[in-house]
Amino acid sequence: MKKSKINRLRAAGWRVGSVREFLELSDEDVALIELKLAVADVIRRTRQRRELTQTGLAKLIGSSQSRVAKMEAGDASVSLDLMFRTAFSLGLSANEVSKQIAKPRPARGSSKKVG
Amino acid sequence: MKKSKINRLRAAGWRVGSVREFLELSDEDVALIELKLAVADVIRRTRQRRELTQTGLAKLIGSSQSRVAKMEAGDASVSLDLMFRTAFSLGLSANEVSKQIAKPRPARGSSKKVG
DNA sequence: CAAGAGTATGTCGCATCGGACATACAGTCA
DNA sequence: TGACTGTATGTCCGATGCGACATACTCTTG
């Protein structure tokens, strides 16, 4: 295993910095992961705003609910290509996605703190 | 063949709209292709600004010159993941990439006109 | 012209991605 | 409690991406 579990960790509230040395992650890897997580968040929020279920979105993009779930979880098995394509299917433009990403999101998951 | 040749066409100076009906391209596909082409441009310009050859950049990202060439050509065999990772390796941040993309680039390739 | 540097194109084998399916988990309602 | 809806997780296998290599093209320099 190398980057198969990173997203899980990060999604669970870990600060990336804390696992970076432990796993072998380059700066670019970290940046890419954070980008994916940001896009994942945009997708989830947009889907919810559109009042779509994961299943509904899956149908919209010609995929399955599990893919959507993984996508929103920032799972390593999902590419940026699929994420952006999905965002576009939700009616977002590239610029809109960019703006949503730039904007700091309200720190979800405040429970599992890290020392 | 479906989307294997699109980039070539587009890169050769075609307006995407003109081939859209001919090939079976959804709006999302088109948006994704344009995004890739935009990122490709950012990469090329940044590489040149850093006075790197494609071979040099390839070494930098642990890949080969041919990959870099395809990447900058917006070839369909290159993922957004690789492109962003490359942009990050060049020292760009996600926001910097976004800004570069937003900014309209100066219409490269004025030779092979269409129509 | 030759030689070299830089870039482009095509292909191959292996690794990863993606849709599908099964199944588990979390909430809600009666 | 059971039934139902929505979400998460794990796995399979066909499809696609990637590094590598060969090779061709484009310039420049001599």
Side-chain angles (χ1 to χ4, degrees), chain B residues 2-66:
Chain B
K2 210 178 298 179
K3 30 182 157 174
S4 36
K5 304 206 168 181
I6 299 155
N7 305 306
R8 203 76 47 74
L9 292 173
R10 179 65 164 73
W14 292 80
R15 296 296 310 281
V16 174
S18 56
V19 269
R20 253 211 67 184
E21 310 131 27
F22 162 59
L23 301 161
E24 300 173 23
L25 279 181
S26 66
D27 289 353
E28 310 88 67
D29 288 330
V30 174
L32 189 67
I33 291 175
E34 300 209 314
L35 175 59
K36 282 191 178 183
L37 288 169
V39 179
D41 243 53
V42 172
I43 291 175
R44 161 161 286 161
R45 289 209 303 264
T46 306
R47 172 179 66 79
Q48 291 174 338
R49 188 168 303 130
R50 299 273 143 86
E51 304 199 4
L52 277 171
T53 66
Q54 289 184 344
T55 307
L57 176 53
K59 225 163 266 176
L60 185 62
I61 64 174
S63 181
S64 54
Q65 179 265 329
S66 59

Side-chain angles (χ1 to χ4, degrees), chain B residues 102-115:
Chain B
K103 162 181 323 178
R105 56 230 125 85
R108 55 157 192 171
S110 50
S111 53
K112 195 170 293 182
K113 282 277 272 301
V114 87

Side-chain angles (χ1 to χ4, degrees), chain B residues 6-8 11 33 36-37 40 68-78 83 108:
Chain B
I6 299 155
N7 305 306
R8 203 76 47 74
I33 291 175
K36 282 191 178 183
L37 288 169
V68 175
K70 291 176 212 286
M71 204 160 56
E72 294 186 350
D75 191 286
S77 84
V78 181
M83 287 186 173
R108 55 157 192 171

Side-chain angles (χ1 to χ4, degrees), chain A residues 2-59:
Chain A
K2 208 176 300 180
K3 28 181 157 174
S4 34
K5 304 208 170 183
I6 298 155
N7 305 306
R8 205 76 48 77
L9 292 171
R10 179 65 162 73
W14 292 80
R15 296 295 311 279
V16 174
S18 57
V19 268
R20 255 212 66 185
E21 310 129 28
F22 162 58
L23 302 160
E24 299 173 23
L25 279 182
S26 66
D27 289 351
E28 310 88 67
D29 288 331
V30 174
L32 189 67
I33 290 175
E34 299 209 314
L35 174 58
K36 282 191 180 185
L37 288 169
V39 178
D41 243 53
V42 171
I43 290 175
R44 160 161 287 160
R45 289 209 304 264
T46 306
R47 171 179 68 79
Q48 291 174 338
R49 188 168 304 129
R50 298 276 142 86
E51 305 198 3
L52 277 170
T53 66
Q54 289 185 343
T55 307
L57 177 53
K59 226 162 268 178

